[in-house]
Amino acid sequence: MQVDWLTIFVGIIAVCAVFITTVIVFIGLQTIKSMQQLNAFIGHVQNELSFISTKAALTLHEVNELLGHLKEETRSIGEKSKLSLQELHGLITFVHDETKDLALKASNGIAKVTIGSLAIGALSQLLKKKNQ
């Protein structure tokens, strides 16, 4: 009887060992599949990151070129603005000087006309008094 119990006990242990071995093999297979999928995913992510990094580098290069171009254009516009301001200053100075000269000439002409008018008025009165 003890041998029967021992055989049953050893049988139960053997069944448990087979079950545990089966579970361990199943877990191992699932782990291998998961690792393969993980490696494929990592490869895909690395490819995408490489593509994005390349695009980012190209974009940064283009932005850098654009900034350089804008800097040159701004410098050119700044120089043109300075030249334009200098020309405008010269023109305003010329107009001011010409206006001043014209005002002086007009003032001299008005003074001469006024003096002439006063002289003619005085002569007219003098002649009126002599005629009377």
Side-chain angles (χ1 to χ4, degrees):
M1 189 73 173
Q2 287 182 349
V3 173
D4 288 337
W5 283 107
L6 186 61
T7 305
I8 292 174
F9 183 68
V10 169
I12 292 174
I13 290 176
V15 168
C16 288
V18 168
F19 179 73
I20 290 172
T21 304
T22 305
V23 169
I24 289 174
V25 168
F26 180 74
I27 290 173
L29 290 175
Q30 290 300 328
T31 303
I32 291 171
K33 286 181 183 178
S34 296
M35 288 295 206
Q36 289 173 346
Q37 290 176 351
L38 183 62
N39 283 335
F41 177 72
I42 288 172
H44 179 71
V45 169
Q46 284 176 341
N47 289 338
E48 290 296 319
L49 285 175
S50 175
F51 176 74
I52 290 171
S53 297
T54 303
K55 283 297 232 182
L58 288 174
T59 303
L60 286 174
H61 181 71
E62 290 173 359
V63 166
N64 190 22
E65 287 180 355
L66 179 64
L67 287 175
H69 180 70
L70 287 175
K71 186 177 179 182
E72 289 297 320
E73 288 295 319
T74 304
R75 184 176 296 133
S76 174
I77 290 171
E79 291 171 2
K80 289 177 184 176
S81 295
K82 286 179 185 177
L83 289 174
S84 297
L85 286 174
Q86 288 173 352
E87 289 176 6
L88 185 61
H89 180 264
L91 182 62
I92 289 172
T93 303
F94 174 74
V95 169
H96 177 262
D97 292 341
E98 288 297 314
T99 305
K100 189 176 176 182
D101 288 343
L102 288 174
L104 286 174
K105 287 178 183 177
S107 175
N108 286 338
I110 291 171
K112 288 177 184 177
V113 169
T114 303
I115 290 171
S117 176
L118 289 173
I120 291 171
L123 186 62
S124 171
Q125 286 190 4
L126 183 67
L127 290 175
K128 257 189 191 179
K129 285 185 183 182
K130 281 189 181 184
N131 284 341
Q132 289 177 350

